[in-house]
Amino acid sequence: MFGRIMPVSHPATAQTRADVLWWRTAVIYQIYIRSFADGDGDGIGDLAGIRSRLPYLRDLGADAIWITPFYPSPMADGGYDVADYRDIEPLFGTLADADAMIADAHGLGLRVIIDIVPNHSSDQHRWFQAALAAGPGSPERERYVFRPGRGEHGELAPTDWESAFGGPAWTRLPDGEWYLHLFAPEQPDFNWENPEVVTEFEDILRFWLDRGVDGFRIDVANSLKKDQSFPDVGSEAEAVLVPHEGPHHPFWDRDEVHEVYRGWRSVSDTFGADRTFVAEAWVDSPDRLARYTRADELHTAFNFAFVRAPWDAAELRATIDKCLAAAAVVGAPATWVLSNHDVTRHATRYARLDSTGGGVTDEARVGPNTPLDPALGLRRARAATLLMLALPGSAYVYQGEELGLPEVVDLPEDVLADPIWERSEHRVRGRDGCRVPIPWTTDGPSLGFGSGDPWLPQPASFAGLSVQAEQGVAGSTLELYRSALAHRRALTVAQTVDWLPSPEGSLAFRRLTADGSSVVCVVACTDAAVPLPAYDEVLVASTALEHGPDGETRLPGEAAVWLRLR
Ligand code: BGC
C-alpha cells in the first residue's frame, strides 16, 4: 500500500535468554490483562488468553512482556488494588496458570515482567482488614497510614492532600481515625516507615523471582515515603497530585524512597543480573528520574518526559537529549514509551489539532469534544514509533499500538469503569478509552478477543484495525512494527545518537550498527517534505517516499524513515 518497503527476510527471533543485560536494549510489550485476550469467554482477558497469543508476540519481535496486575483484587482500580500479592485473581486464572504462562513465554524466548504495587493495597487485603478490626494505636494500624483528624472533634482531615483520582486523600473511619489513600479510598497507603512493610515486600519479590519472573514494573515508585511531619501541601495547584519533584514535596519523589530500592536491588541481584526493575515514576525532571536508576538501585525507569512532549521537532530533540544525558550520568539505559494504560493512545494524542503531549491529568487527556484529525494522528503515531524504536535504550509498546488503535473517546457513560469517573463526579471520563479490548479478527464475537461480550465495547472501526486485517498487508501498522522491530536488533550497538543537520521541523540522527554501517533515522514533524541524504537501502518507512522535481528522494511530511548507509 505504501510502495517500496524492504521486506524483512525472516521473522524476528527474540533475544537469547543467555543475554543477562537484555533489559538494556529490550522491546517490552505491555499487556493490560483485562483487555488483551479472553480465554474463558467471560468478557475479561486472562492468563489463558495471554498464553494463546504468546506466539503472536514472538513473531511481532518483542523481547519481553509486562503484564499489569493479575493478583486477587476487587477491581476498584482495574487490579491496582491488590488483595493478595502471592496469588492470582480467579477471573484471570490460577497460580498454576501463571507458572505455565511463564514457562511458555520462556520457551518462546520472551522474558516476563510483572507489576508490583507497593504504595497501597486493596482495602480487602488481610492486613487492612486486621487494621480496621484492631483499632487505633494497634500494631496492625502501623502497617498503613492512620492519623487523628484536625479540628475540635477530629472532624477535619489530617492534611489537605488530595487523591490522584479526585477528592480528599483521607477517609475517616467510624472510630474517628483517618487513613491515607493517595488514590481511591479502596487503596489504602502502606506505611513504609514500618520495617514489617519493608520485609513483606522483599519477601513478595522473592516469591515471584523464585517462580521465574524476569522483573517487576513498580507502580507509583515515587510515592512510598511520606514526610513524617505531615505538612499541608499548601496551594490548590500543588494539592492536585500533578507529580512534583522532591525532596520538598510531602509525598512525591522524596529522597528517602531510594532506601527502599537499594534494598530491592540487593534482593534481585541474588537471583542474577538478568532480573530487572522498571520504575513508574512521574517526576518532572530527567535528573530526578535518573536517581532511581543509580547503580545500586533500579535498572530502568520510564521516560515520561517523552510521553509529555508535543509533536514538535525541537521539543522532541531537547527531550531526547535531556533523557539520554541524565541516564548516561548514572550509566543506565534510557527507557522510552509512547502509550500505556494510563495515557491517551498516541495515535489520538497526535491527532489533536494543537498537537500537545500526553499525560494522566485531565487537561492532557483527549475527550469526546477535543477537535481531532485521526488520519493525521495515525500518520504521526507511525512516525513517532520509528523515532522511538531508533533511540538507544529499551522501549515499551502498549498492546494495540502496533495495530494503530486510536483512543475510544466516545464510550457510553454507563460502561465507564475507571474510578476517576466517579471520583471526579463525572467531570473526567478517565482512562477506559485506551483499555478497550484488542481486536484480533475482522468479525465474530468481540472481534476475536473472546467468545463473550467484552467488558468494554469495541467500536465498529476496530474490525479494520484487527490483527487479521493487518497481518501480511504491506504498509499496515502491524507490518510496520514487525519490520522495525526486526531491523532494530542491528541498531543496538552504539548507545548514542549522532544528530545530523536537517531542515527546521525535522530530525535526523545516526546510529552505528554491528557491521560498521550506519542507520540514519529521519523524522518530518511538519507537513513539509524533507530531502534525504544519499543512502544504500530503505530499511523501513512510515509512508511511501516521494521524488522531487529534480529526482531527489524525499520523506513526505509527518513521516519517518530508517536508511542504511555503508
Ligand atoms: C497505574 C495506574 C493506577 C495507579 C494506582 C498507576 O501508576 O499505572 O493504572 O491507577 O498507579 O495504582
Side-chain angles (χ1 to χ4, degrees):
M1 148 164 87
F2 292 115
R4 198 177 78 97
I5 291 176
M6 291 303 289
V8 182
S9 53
H10 54 82
T13 47
Q15 285 166 321
T16 68
R17 298 205 67 234
D19 177 8
V20 291
L21 299 183
W22 64 276
W23 44 269
R24 293 189 73 90
T25 54
V27 173
I28 297 133
Y29 185 96
Q30 181 193 348
I31 294 178
Y32 188 72
I33 185 168
R34 297 197 294 166
S35 305
F36 183 63
D38 170 17
D40 63 5
D42 64 358
I44 299 169
D46 49 34
L47 288 167
I50 293 176
R51 285 181 73 189
S52 73
R53 298 295 182 181
L54 289 173
Y56 165 82
L57 299 178
R58 186 265 326 268
D59 293 346
L60 179 65
D63 301 302
I65 54 176
W66 149 35
I67 306 176
T68 53
F70 52 19
Y71 312 102
S73 167
M75 299 288 157
D77 182 21
Y80 283 94
D81 46 323
V82 178
D84 180 352
Y85 291 83
R86 295 180 183 82
D87 205 349
I88 297 292
E89 162 61 38
L91 283 172
F92 300 149
T94 61
L95 263 182
D97 292 331
D99 291 340
M101 186 274 300
I102 295 168
D104 284 3
H106 287 168
L108 292 168
L110 293 164
R111 310 265 181 168
V112 178
I113 291 179
I114 63 171
D115 220 308
I116 184 100
V117 188
N119 180 67
H120 45 263
S121 69
S122 160
D123 61 354
Q124 300 307 307
H125 190 285
R126 68 186 165 80
W127 275 13
F128 194 72
Q129 289 299 310
L132 293 183
S138 61
E140 286 83 354
R141 289 217 170 170
E142 279 303 302
R143 295 165 172 159
Y144 292 89
V145 184
F146 284 91
R147 308 278 300 165
R150 295 190 288 194
E152 202 180 333
H153 306 289
E155 72 282 9
L156 302 174
T159 68
D160 64 353
W161 303 357
E162 291 199 8
S163 150
F165 293 157
W170 298 93
T171 290
R172 195 176 195 197
L173 295 170
D175 61 30
E177 275 208 319
W178 297 72
Y179 70 90
L180 177 68
H181 50 87
L182 292 183
F183 293 87
E186 297 86 353
Q187 294 168 296
D189 279 44
F190 283 113
N191 172 17
W192 276 90
E193 304 304 314
N194 183 343
E196 203 185 347
V197 172
V198 175
T199 310
E200 170 69 357
F201 269 90
E202 292 185 353
D203 198 58
I204 292 165
L205 296 178
R206 285 190 203 95
F207 176 88
W208 289 103
L209 289 165
D210 274 334
R211 298 195 100 85
V213 304
D214 300 284
F216 300 89
R217 174 262 189 192
I218 306 170
D219 190 61
V220 238
N222 53 328
S223 61
L224 274 45
K225 288 287 194 166
K226 279 80 182 180
D227 182 337
Q228 292 303 297
S229 68
F230 289 90
D232 279 344
V233 170
S235 74
E236 200 176 310
E238 294 260 308
V240 177
L241 302 188
V242 177
H244 288 278
E245 296 157 36
H248 305 300
H249 194 274
F251 46 84
W252 288 123
D253 189 32
R254 294 185 63 76
D255 287 344
E256 307 90 272
V257 78
H258 296 282
E259 288 157 26
V260 175
Y261 299 128
R262 283 191 280 271
W264 286 25
R265 180 61 179 260
S266 56
V267 171
S268 80
D269 278 351
T270 61
F271 286 81
D274 60 343
R275 310 293 181 106
T276 193
F277 292 107
V278 58
E280 185 221 21
W282 286 86
V283 299
D284 289 343
S285 108
D287 296 328
R288 290 291 303 181
L289 184 68
R291 294 162 60 90
Y292 289 80
T293 55
R294 289 176 289 196
D296 58 348
E297 295 190 39
L298 307 173
H299 306 73
T300 57
F302 295 124
N303 267 320
F304 289 126
F306 191 60
V307 175
R308 286 189 167 133
W311 183 243
D312 173 275
E315 296 226 30
L316 286 166
R317 177 171 169 169
T319 304
I320 291 166
D321 278 342
K322 271 191 230 149
C323 293
L324 286 174
V329 168
V330 292
T335 301
W336 309 102
V337 46
L338 282 166
S339 283
N340 66 27
H341 66 292
D342 289 331
V343 301
T344 300
R345 283 185 176 276
H346 65 285
T348 301
R349 228 163 56 220
Y350 297 140
R352 281 176 77 137
L353 299 184
D354 58 6
S355 120
T356 51
V360 284
T361 56
D362 184 12
E363 15 3 305
R365 293 203 71 84
V366 171
N369 302 320
T370 314
L372 295 173
D373 178 342
L376 178 63
L378 179 57
R379 195 177 162 95
R380 288 176 173 169
R382 292 163 55 104
T385 295
L386 288 192
L387 166 62
M388 173 177 84
L389 293 175
L391 294 171
S394 63
Y396 281 75
V397 168
Y398 176 50
Q399 65 182 36
E401 70 170 77
E402 80 279 18
L403 303 172
L405 292 189
E407 183 88 357
V408 181
V409 292
D410 54 358
L411 284 168
E413 292 183 354
D414 61 352
V415 303
L416 295 179
D418 186 341
I420 290 178
W421 173 241
E422 291 300 331
R423 294 277 297 168
S424 71
E425 293 168 347
H426 298 188
R427 280 179 294 107
V428 184
R429 293 170 66 87
R431 301 160 293 177
D432 292 314
C434 60
R435 300 174 175 180
V436 173
I438 296 298
W440 293 92
T441 54
T442 50
D443 52 19
S446 66
L447 301 174
F449 166 68
S451 54
D453 285 342
W455 70 279
L456 284 175
Q458 300 152 307
S461 62
F462 267 31
L465 294 168
S466 62
V467 174
Q468 187 183 17
E470 297 195 24
Q471 197 135 27
V473 176
S476 69
T477 304
L478 178 56
E479 292 303 328
L480 176 75
Y481 270 73
R482 291 175 66 153
S483 173
L485 291 180
H487 286 300
R488 181 186 148 92
R489 291 173 192 287
L491 289 181
T492 53
V493 176
Q495 288 307 298
T496 51
V497 300
D498 302 324
W499 293 106
L500 304 173
S502 70
E504 201 180 327
S506 70
L507 297 170
F509 58 92
R510 180 171 45 211
R511 301 279 313 279
L512 290 178
T513 68
D515 64 7
S517 61
S518 335
V519 170
V520 170
C521 173
V522 184
V523 189
C525 299
T526 69
D527 59 7
V530 178
L532 293 177
Y535 60 85
D536 294 304
E537 188 184 347
V538 176
L539 295 178
V540 54
S542 69
T543 193
L545 302 183
E546 60 185 35
H547 298 283
D550 51 1
E552 66 175 9
T553 313
R554 300 190 314 194
L555 174 68
E558 315 284 12
V561 63
W562 294 359
L563 305 169
R564 182 185 293 283
L565 274 56
R566 286 189 205 286

